[in-house]
Amino acid sequence: MDKLIINGGKKLKGEVQISGSKNAALPIFVSTILAPGLNTIGNVPFLRDINTTIKVLESLGADVEGNGNIVKINTAGINSHEATYDLVKTMRASVLVLGPLLARFGKARVSLPGGCAIGARPINLHLKGLQALGAEITLEHGYVEAKAKRLKGARINFDISTVGGTEHLMMAAATAKGETILENAAREPEIVDLGLILNRMGAKIEGAGTDTIKIQGVSELSPVNYSVMPDRIEAGTFMIASAITGGDIKIHGMKLEHLDALVFKLQDAGVEITSRDNVVRVKGSKKMRGVNIKTRPYPGFPTDMQAQFMALMCVAEGASVISENIFENRFMHVSELLRFGADITVEGSTATVKGVKKLSGAPVMATDLRASASLILGGLAAEGTTEITRIYHLDRGYESIEKKLVGLGADIVRVKE
């Protein structure tokens, strides 16, 4: 098992390129089930979750071939409608194959995804939506079994905003008979990206990125070439890396408009952010100010940036209040940040962070993907040496993060334990 060793206290300087979005690539890969033939997907990040999705597609009978950041997925030969527990248990997003398999074959059998370290993420809204489209669904022996000769359009109002549920039903409804309207739909940029590739395949989808999405079902979809959007969470993490080290970096390949809520809070904290010719420059301040955040569905402050922002607030002047409104167990990084000498108290879904003059390097353990990033940020800012174990979480969502940080002047190495 690998670990990271960081000698902190170095200001980051230089330029970094943002990789393709993991959260956009996963449903895009799954959408190729609906378009039998050779689909070519570009700007794909090298990540564990991507490899898991490839294994799921190959288990269904797809032929997948990677060359650099381009992945070719031939779904013409898919001959199975079942995704087993062994694959689905390792990544929740695997359950998204249910709708496309059902739409293509009239039946699907997919394992329930199980638990998640950062809290419960039930798929009841996914299943309720598929039933509204005419699917007959049964739950047996830990599997969802769905049947429908052809799905039929329906009006579906989500009880809560759900990214996975919105993506799932967009795919399922793309070839359903008639019109489907998704109300209280999630608005994330990754959903816009999915809508773009589905429309390029021949779907008729309007409103992706708003809370009302209209889908006119078509009889079939065709394979396409498509390039995945940049990863806004990776971009946000590097923005905070510059801020927390008092650095000055230029970020290529990101879309600043995807991170408005984070940008506003960073500027409130004293970070200087400018954009020119599609390059974003982020300069840290000698005196950071504590600011409050509340995580919300997009376009609110992203829950996937909460842990990283908390690390920044650990060295800001004054106090900040961080409210987590998306996942119930997303403060697991707090106990590890305390090992750096941070001053954080948690009460329910709210954490109060009092800035300290300095953090001290320490041995820490990653508990989930974004917690891993917050510990790297803490280690970059801390005096002395930090060791981060269980970094396999990190490899789920950040492509070569330590190499990119080294390119910015960080003293960070990956070693085998």
Side-chain angles (χ1 to χ4, degrees):
M1 195 176 295
D2 294 356
K3 65 180 178 181
L4 291 177
I5 299 177
I6 304 172
N7 290 306
K10 292 178 170 54
K11 293 183 179 182
L12 299 187
K13 293 183 179 180
E15 304 187 14
V16 65
Q17 178 71 38
I18 297 304
S19 298
S21 167
K22 172 190 81 108
N23 288 340
L26 299 182
I28 282 173
F29 273 35
V30 171
S31 73
T32 63
I33 294 172
L34 293 165
L38 181 61
N39 295 271
T40 302
I41 312 299
N43 200 32
V44 177
F46 285 112
L47 300 169
R48 223 176 79 198
D49 281 5
I50 294 293
N51 289 332
T52 299
T53 307
I54 288 173
K55 289 178 182 176
V56 171
L57 291 171
E58 287 178 334
S59 75
L60 298 172
D63 184 15
V64 185
E65 180 182 326
N67 183 11
N69 291 104
I70 297 174
V71 177
K72 295 185 177 182
I73 307 171
N74 193 330
T75 52
I78 288 183
N79 53 15
S80 171
H81 61 273
E82 179 173 335
T84 63
Y85 174 69
D86 286 345
L87 289 171
V88 176
K89 71 178 180 181
T90 62
M91 190 186 69
R92 293 190 52 84
S94 302
V95 77
L96 293 179
V97 302
L98 177 66
L101 287 174
L102 177 61
R104 179 167 167 180
F105 296 105
K107 56 186 177 180
R109 185 173 189 266
V110 177
S111 171
L112 287 167
C116 178
I118 59 172
R121 299 204 242 180
I123 63 166
N124 58 308
L125 297 181
H126 300 227
L127 303 184
K128 185 178 177 182
L130 290 174
Q131 286 176 318
L133 294 176
E136 178 186 325
I137 291 177
T138 56
L139 301 176
E140 290 185 358
H141 309 298
Y143 279 77
V144 180
E145 297 198 25
K147 296 179 181 179
K149 286 186 177 180
R150 186 183 178 187
L151 296 174
K152 298 179 181 178
R155 181 183 291 270
I156 298 168
N157 189 296
F158 292 108
D159 293 336
I160 59 172
S161 176
T162 163
V163 175
T166 300
E167 293 169 340
H168 202 164
L169 296 181
M170 281 173 64
M171 291 187 284
T175 56
K177 184 177 181 180
E179 182 181 64
T180 297
I181 300 176
L182 305 180
E183 298 174 331
N184 194 29
R187 300 163 58 187
E188 274 71 3
E190 294 79 10
I191 288 169
V192 177
D193 218 31
L194 178 61
L196 288 172
I197 188 173
L198 288 171
N199 281 344
R200 192 169 294 183
M201 289 173 173
K204 295 181 179 179
I205 300 173
E206 296 179 355
T210 74
D211 60 6
T212 302
I213 301 175
K214 294 183 179 180
I215 305 162
Q216 296 290 342
V218 297
S219 58
E220 62 182 10
L221 299 180
S222 302
V224 295
N225 295 349
Y226 192 79
S227 186
V228 176
M229 63 173 272
D231 194 312
R232 62 192 174 101
I233 304 303
E234 184 196 18
T237 301
F238 276 99
M239 293 176 78
I240 292 180
S242 183
I244 203 170
T245 63
D248 182 357
I249 72 173
K250 292 180 179 178
I251 305 175
H252 296 260
M254 68 173 287
K255 292 187 176 180
L256 195 60
E257 64 271 22
H258 289 169
L259 287 166
D260 280 349
L262 173 64
V263 169
F264 294 149
K265 291 298 181 180
L266 287 175
Q267 289 173 330
D268 284 348
V271 181
E272 184 180 330
I273 301 169
T274 55
S275 179
R276 184 177 180 182
D277 298 329
N278 296 317
V279 178
V280 177
R281 185 177 182 182
V282 182
K283 294 177 67 176
S285 170
K286 291 182 179 180
K287 289 189 176 181
M288 306 289 281
R289 299 182 294 270
V291 296
N292 303 334
I293 63 167
K294 295 181 179 180
T295 63
R296 301 285 189 196
Y298 190 85
F301 193 95
T303 181
D304 279 354
M305 287 303 307
Q306 177 259 108
Q308 299 93 308
F309 197 85
M310 183 182 290
L312 178 63
M313 292 298 96
C314 288
V315 293
E317 289 187 350
S320 56
V321 178
I322 296 176
S323 301
E324 174 56 59
N325 299 301
I326 307 297
F327 295 121
E328 66 269 27
N329 295 334
R330 210 157 201 183
F331 283 149
M332 291 188 292
H333 49 280
V334 169
S335 60
E336 301 303 303
L337 289 174
L338 292 175
R339 294 175 59 80
F340 289 118
D343 184 349
I344 308 169
T345 56
V346 175
E347 186 172 339
S349 61
T350 300
T352 301
V353 185
K354 295 179 181 178
V356 297
K357 289 187 177 180
K358 66 176 183 178
L359 300 176
S360 299
V364 292
M365 180 179 69
T367 54
D368 61 70
L369 171 55
R370 305 310 172 184
S372 305
S374 75
L375 299 182
I376 289 178
L377 295 169
L380 291 173
E383 291 184 354
T385 302
T386 294
E387 289 191 9
I388 306 175
T389 56
R390 293 179 64 181
I391 61 167
Y392 55 84
H393 293 291
L394 192 73
D395 296 332
R396 286 187 47 234
Y398 290 94
E399 182 179 35
S400 304
I401 188 170
E402 71 276 10
K403 293 179 182 178
K404 292 184 179 183
L405 287 169
V406 166
L408 294 171
D411 184 346
I412 176 173
V413 294
R414 178 185 290 247
V415 299
K416 298 284 186 183
E417 288 196 87

